[in-house]
């Protein structure tokens, strides 16, 4: 399909000719069926109908969406459907797939079902009966935030928006979030290089495993170090306003972790801050500790 610069309702499909005999090649589906004249107006609709009619489509779609919410699929890895890799819960997979088929493959409805379920809302704190379970969803398994979500979270917690620049020095408007970038590969970002750029034009196959590049960028990378001390950032505004240590600790916790610090955390942090020779440096270290913590960087 050659979309070019045409509008959403106007599509031009390339005419493909056979390289040996020179005749125009008629588009065919995998089963050998040729398109009718009506289907040729937009072959994608016919292709979508053929794909969704396949008996395995609903199962694979459900499994991939489930994997996005639970850090592992009912069949895991999510695209490894084979007899020697059975689903952890066949009845659950069948039930969700049946629901998807019966409601016109409505993915929003499927997502709503999942997030409203008791299974999704379980705590990530294990108990004695489920602490060793990794496949039956008896408790939430914390999973790392995707790269663009984590970058936006760091920007929000520090109060310093990211500036996205292309190789030709083109800039996105101030306040643009990483998750809004249509083609992330076009923008220079050491953070996205280290934490893996999302591919918006294909199904994302990400690796959230720890790496040396991620550890080093978290420790000394500009995304973290520059935002901590940036003038007009969250911490700088609090210090200029004359906020007390307790007020700053509380706001940083709310901004980074969406919770109040415990009384014990407040007591220990106040002591740690007063022991440091430079108050600003101590508060910057606190903010870095928060945005580099597992509680901040994982969905739990």
């Amino acid at each position: 399909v050659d979309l070019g610069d045409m509008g959403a309702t106007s599509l031009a499909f390339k005419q493909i000719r056979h390289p040996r005999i020179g005749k125009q090649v008629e588009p065919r589906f995998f089963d050998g069926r040729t398109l009718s004249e009506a289907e040729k107006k937009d072959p994608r609709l016919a292709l979508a109908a053929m794909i969704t009619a396949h008996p395995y489509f609903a199962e694979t779609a459900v499994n991939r969406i489930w994997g996005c919410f639970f850090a592992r699929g009912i069949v895991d890895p999510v695209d490894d459907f084979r007899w020697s890799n059975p689903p952890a819960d066949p009845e659950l997979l069948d039930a969700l797939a049946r629901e998807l088929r019966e409601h016109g493959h409505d993915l929003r409805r499927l997502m709503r079902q999942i997030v409203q379920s008791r299974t999704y809302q379980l705590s990530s704190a294990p108990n004695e009966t489920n602490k060793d379970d990794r496949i039956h969803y008896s408790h939430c398994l914390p999973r790392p935030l995707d790269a663009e979500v984590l970058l936006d979270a760091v920007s929000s917690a520090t109060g310093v928006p990211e500036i996205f620049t292309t190789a030709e020095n083109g800039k996105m408007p101030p306040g643009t979030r990483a998750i809004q970038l249509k083609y992330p590969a076009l923008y220079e970002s050491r953070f996205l290089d280290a934490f893996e750029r999302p591919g918006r034009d294909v199904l994302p196959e990400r690796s959230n495993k720890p790496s040396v590049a991620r550890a080093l960028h978290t420790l000394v990378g500009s995304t973290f170090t520059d935002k901590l001390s940036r003038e007009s950032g969250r911490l700088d505004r609090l210090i200029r306003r004359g906020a007390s240590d307790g007020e700053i600790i509380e706001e940083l916790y709310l901004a980074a972790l969406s919770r109040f610090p415990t009384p014990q955390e407040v007591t220990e942090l106040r002591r740690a801050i007063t022991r440091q020779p430079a108050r600003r440096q101590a508060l910057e270290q606190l903010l870095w500790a928060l945005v580099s913590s597992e509680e901040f960087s994982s969905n739990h």
Side-chain angles (χ1 to χ4, degrees), residues 99-100 103 105-114:
E99 285 277 318
L100 186 65
H103 291 86
H105 300 93
D106 187 340
L107 294 181
R108 288 189 177 185
R109 184 180 183 279
L110 171 65
M111 294 178 187
R112 189 180 302 112
Q113 277 185 300
I114 291 174

Side-chain angles (χ1 to χ4, degrees), residues 55 57-59 62 90-106 109-110 113:
F57 175 80
E59 283 82 355
V62 161
E91 292 81 5
L92 173 62
L93 183 62
D94 290 343
L96 290 175
R98 184 172 59 253
E99 285 277 318
L100 186 65
R101 282 191 291 264
E102 291 175 354
H103 291 86
H105 300 93
D106 187 340
R109 184 180 183 279
L110 171 65
Q113 277 185 300

Side-chain angles (χ1 to χ4, degrees), residues 33 74 83 99 110 126 136 155 192 256 258 266 268 281 289 295:
R33 181 173 66 86
I74 304 173
W83 69 269
E99 285 277 318
L110 171 65
H136 292 298
S155 299
L192 293 180
S258 298
V266 173
E268 293 181 357
Q281 184 178 5
E295 182 177 356

Side-chain angles (χ1 to χ4, degrees), residues 113-132:
Q113 277 185 300
I114 291 174
V115 299
Q116 290 180 340
S117 69
R118 176 179 176 276
T119 305
Y120 181 75
Q121 296 170 15
L122 288 173
S123 169
S124 60
N127 56 41
E128 286 300 317
T129 65
N130 63 22
K131 62 182 180 180
D132 296 322

Side-chain angles (χ1 to χ4, degrees), residues 176-195:
T176 300
R177 297 183 299 162
I179 201 170
Q180 294 176 307
L181 300 178
K182 188 174 182 180
Y183 299 110
L186 297 179
Y187 300 91
E188 298 176 346
S189 172
R190 289 188 176 181
F191 184 95
L192 293 180
D193 287 338
F195 286 80

Side-chain angles (χ1 to χ4, degrees), residues 63 66 70-76 88-89 92 119 122 133-141:
N63 192 59
W66 184 274
F70 289 92
R72 61 169 288 122
I74 304 173
V75 173
D76 195 72
D89 192 329
L92 173 62
T119 305
L122 288 173
D133 174 36
R134 305 292 298 177
I135 64 174
H136 292 298
Y137 314 106
S138 57
H139 63 286
C140 171
L141 297 178

Side-chain angles (χ1 to χ4, degrees), residues 52-283:
T52 55
H54 194 282
Y56 294 154
F57 175 80
E59 283 82 355
T60 55
V62 161
N63 192 59
R64 183 170 287 275
I65 297 298
W66 184 274
C68 289
F69 285 104
F70 289 92
R72 61 169 288 122
I74 304 173
V75 173
D76 195 72
V78 292
D79 56 356
D80 189 13
F81 276 76
R82 51 187 166 86
W83 69 269
S84 57
N85 186 38
D89 192 329
E91 292 81 5
L92 173 62
L93 183 62
D94 290 343
L96 290 175
R98 184 172 59 253
E99 285 277 318
L100 186 65
R101 282 191 291 264
E102 291 175 354
H103 291 86
H105 300 93
D106 187 340
L107 294 181
R108 288 189 177 185
R109 184 180 183 279
L110 171 65
M111 294 178 187
R112 189 180 302 112
Q113 277 185 300
I114 291 174
V115 299
Q116 290 180 340
S117 69
R118 176 179 176 276
T119 305
Y120 181 75
Q121 296 170 15
L122 288 173
S123 169
S124 60
N127 56 41
E128 286 300 317
T129 65
N130 63 22
K131 62 182 180 180
D132 296 322
D133 174 36
R134 305 292 298 177
I135 64 174
H136 292 298
Y137 314 106
S138 57
H139 63 286
C140 171
L141 297 178
R143 64 187 187 277
L145 297 178
D146 290 337
E148 64 274 30
V149 178
L150 180 57
L151 178 54
D152 289 338
V154 173
S155 299
S156 175
T158 59
V160 180
E162 187 76 4
I163 304 299
F164 295 100
T165 306
T166 65
E168 293 77 21
N169 293 321
K171 290 185 178 181
M172 292 294 288
T176 300
R177 297 183 299 162
I179 201 170
Q180 294 176 307
L181 300 178
K182 188 174 182 180
Y183 299 110
L186 297 179
Y187 300 91
E188 298 176 346
S189 172
R190 289 188 176 181
F191 184 95
L192 293 180
D193 287 338
F195 286 80
E196 193 167 348
R197 292 175 183 269
R200 297 290 168 77
D201 53 342
V202 296
L203 284 174
E205 296 294 341
R206 302 174 187 261
S207 173
N208 284 321
K209 294 181 179 179
S211 68
V212 173
R214 295 182 184 188
L216 289 175
H217 191 79
T218 303
L219 185 63
V220 296
S222 58
T223 307
F224 291 87
T225 57
D226 290 357
K227 290 180 184 293
L228 300 179
S229 57
R230 184 76 60 83
E231 185 177 346
S232 76
R234 184 183 302 277
L235 182 56
D236 182 69
R237 294 196 301 269
L238 288 169
I239 293 174
R240 289 177 181 274
R241 197 180 70 198
S244 66
D245 291 347
E247 291 173 331
I248 293 177
I249 292 170
E250 182 176 294
E251 178 161 337
L252 294 184
Y253 262 76
L254 289 172
L257 306 181
S258 298
R259 69 172 177 86
F260 288 98
T262 65
Q264 182 180 357
E265 287 173 329
V266 173
T267 300
E268 293 181 357
L269 287 172
R270 278 178 166 170
R271 290 174 182 170
I273 292 170
T274 56
R275 286 198 298 264
Q276 296 294 322
R279 179 174 182 252
R280 176 183 283 270
Q281 184 178 5
L283 292 171

